[in-house]
Amino acid sequence: MNEVKLPFNARLAFTLLCIILIIYIARLGHTLIIPLAFAMLVAIMLLPLASQLEKWRFSRGAAAFTVVLLFVILLVGVLMLLATQMGAFVADFPQLQHQLIQQVESLQTWVNVKFHIDSTRQMDYLEQMAMGTLGSATSFVSTTLLSLSSMLIFIIFVLLYSFFLLLYRSLIVTFLIRLFRGQHRDKLLDVIMQTRYIIKGYVSGLMIEMIVVAFVNCSMFWILGIKYATLLGIMAALFNLIPYLGIYIATIICMVLTLTNSSLATTIQVGSGLLIVHFLDSNILLPRIMGSKVKINALVTILGVVFGNLIWGVPGMFLAIPFIAILKIIFEHIEYMQPWAILLGDVTLKGKKKPVLPKDPDPVSE
């Protein structure tokens, strides 16, 4: 059968149409895709422990249930740690709002005295900005409180999906092998192995980094005598998982909350401390923990995070890097897609060594 080669315009139109359809389906099916994506990351992270339990004569179902249960216990422990300070923060929110307005008014007076700027000109703009910020914060808190049930349902589905992914992982791999032609079997198994290896290393590395950064942040806030030190320290560590953008969002939030119950000097110390911790983390801690597991250049990382936010919001910002890493692995194994792998990475494929993977005849056993 002769292959029909379409003209460039037709191929370009077809490619753009496929991209638009993929984006539309991703946006339309976010209710299903987002929890399934998080479940995949959780399942890959729990896979080594599940495999070890199976070696100890656990059945596959019992092993999957046990590791998911352990993950739930860990998650509940973290939530209980944050619950006390979160409750105090919500109770103190009206007072924090009043204090923030007072701080803004004091700043307005200082600017008027030092720079001789008419206070009446500042007043409308500063009050609108402050009230806009407070209104956004109030809306955020109320939306968060109202959506707790949705968040609980989301977590339940993530846990269920994780359990079934661990339980039926061999069935899924068999389906993929039967779906493709026989000559592509080795490439498919290689893609599965590399995806498991890289995502497992990436997720576990992020967890270690988050724990270390949270401990450093909380210790710094405790030394400075910051109210809600534990809450702010863990929140800043969570935002730090968002590449490039998260630390600045966390710094602004922590400085605003600190300003409501501490002095301006303490607020500046909080912002400076968070930026110093982020600098040390990015240049010392993260390279040592992550190593060369995910090699994606900075431009693609930023574009991926912004695009993920446009499609799926905050969950998309967290999922952007793992998705790009998986795409890069797939592109490396398809000859005509290798230029895209080069574009996503920060090194060329020529002379590139593949990561040393653990020897395992079954790509899903560990």
Side-chain angles (χ1 to χ4, degrees):
M1 184 177 180
N2 295 329
E3 182 180 355
V4 178
K5 188 174 182 179
L6 298 174
F8 173 76
N9 292 339
R11 285 185 283 123
L12 179 61
F14 180 75
T15 302
L16 292 177
L17 180 60
C18 290
I19 294 175
I20 293 173
L21 286 175
I22 291 173
I23 295 174
Y24 177 75
I25 293 173
R27 186 71 183 92
L28 187 65
H30 69 280
T31 305
L32 172 65
I33 299 174
I34 292 177
L36 190 60
F38 276 105
M40 183 187 70
L41 298 181
V42 172
I44 292 176
M45 183 176 63
L46 299 178
L47 183 56
L49 181 57
S51 299
Q52 185 61 46
L53 291 178
E54 290 176 14
K55 292 178 182 178
W56 292 344
R57 305 297 180 93
F58 277 70
S59 65
R60 176 154 293 187
F65 178 79
T66 303
V67 295
V68 171
L69 180 61
L70 292 175
F71 181 75
V72 171
I73 294 173
L74 178 63
L75 189 63
V76 170
V78 175
L79 293 177
M80 290 180 64
L81 177 65
L82 295 176
T84 53
Q85 290 212 356
M86 180 62 75
F89 171 75
V90 173
D92 293 344
F93 190 79
Q95 181 182 356
L96 296 177
Q97 177 176 336
H98 178 68
Q99 291 174 349
L100 182 58
I101 292 177
Q102 289 182 339
Q103 293 288 350
V104 170
E105 290 176 351
S106 300
L107 179 61
Q108 179 185 0
T109 303
W110 180 82
V111 170
N112 188 20
V113 172
K114 293 292 184 181
F115 299 99
H116 306 288
I117 299 175
D118 189 1
S119 58
T120 55
R121 286 186 178 180
Q122 300 178 50
M123 187 177 299
D124 291 337
Y125 175 72
L126 290 177
E127 287 183 355
Q128 287 175 6
M129 182 176 66
M131 294 306 297
T133 303
L134 292 170
S136 300
T138 306
S139 175
F140 173 76
V141 172
S142 61
T143 303
T144 302
L145 293 176
L146 290 174
S147 62
L148 283 178
S149 59
S150 300
M151 180 62 68
L152 180 61
I153 294 174
F154 175 82
I155 294 175
I156 291 174
F157 273 103
V158 169
L159 296 174
L160 284 175
Y161 292 154
S162 301
F163 170 76
F164 287 117
L165 287 174
L166 290 170
L167 181 62
Y168 295 118
R169 59 184 188 268
S170 297
L171 182 65
I172 296 172
V173 173
T174 303
F175 163 75
L176 293 175
I177 292 174
R178 297 290 180 88
L179 187 64
F180 292 90
R181 297 178 181 176
Q183 61 266 31
H184 299 312
R185 183 179 184 274
D186 293 337
K187 284 187 177 182
L188 176 63
L189 294 178
D190 195 21
V191 167
I192 295 174
M193 289 287 293
Q194 287 195 38
T195 300
R196 190 199 70 179
Y197 172 79
I198 289 178
I199 299 302
K200 181 179 70 174
Y202 177 75
V203 174
S204 60
L206 280 185
M207 293 299 103
I208 296 173
E209 181 207 9
M210 184 184 69
I211 292 172
V212 174
V213 172
F215 177 78
V216 174
N217 288 342
C218 292
S219 300
M220 178 180 64
F221 292 160
W222 289 331
I223 293 173
L224 293 175
I226 303 300
K227 196 175 183 181
Y228 317 118
T230 303
L231 178 64
L232 295 180
I234 296 178
M235 182 201 67
L238 289 173
F239 273 98
N240 192 52
L241 297 180
I242 302 176
Y244 301 103
L245 304 177
I247 183 59
Y248 301 107
I249 299 173
T251 301
I252 293 173
I253 295 175
C254 290
M255 289 182 69
V256 170
L257 293 178
T258 303
L259 185 63
T260 61
N261 51 66
S262 300
S263 63
L264 180 61
T266 305
T267 302
I268 295 175
Q269 290 176 350
V270 168
S272 303
L274 285 175
L275 293 178
I276 292 173
V277 170
H278 174 68
F279 176 79
L280 296 176
D281 169 50
S282 301
N283 293 277
I284 298 176
L285 180 63
L286 187 61
R288 291 180 180 272
I289 293 178
M290 300 301 295
S292 58
K293 293 180 176 65
V294 179
K295 286 291 186 179
I296 302 172
N297 66 68
L299 176 61
V300 172
T301 300
I302 295 175
L303 291 176
V305 170
V306 174
F307 183 74
N309 180 59
L310 291 175
I311 299 298
W312 289 337
V314 175
M317 299 174 75
F318 283 98
L319 293 171
I321 305 304
F323 272 21
I324 294 175
I326 293 173
L327 285 176
K328 182 172 176 287
I329 294 171
I330 296 174
F331 291 163
E332 287 175 351
H333 288 79
I334 302 176
E335 186 175 353
Y336 64 88
M337 298 295 290
Q338 287 183 357
W340 292 97
I342 296 174
L343 179 64
L344 296 179
D346 59 357
V347 292
T348 60
L349 294 178
K350 184 177 181 180
K352 178 184 175 183
K353 295 182 179 180
K354 290 184 178 180
V356 180
L357 302 177
K359 294 182 179 180
D360 191 349
D362 182 2
V364 296
S365 64
E366 191 225 351

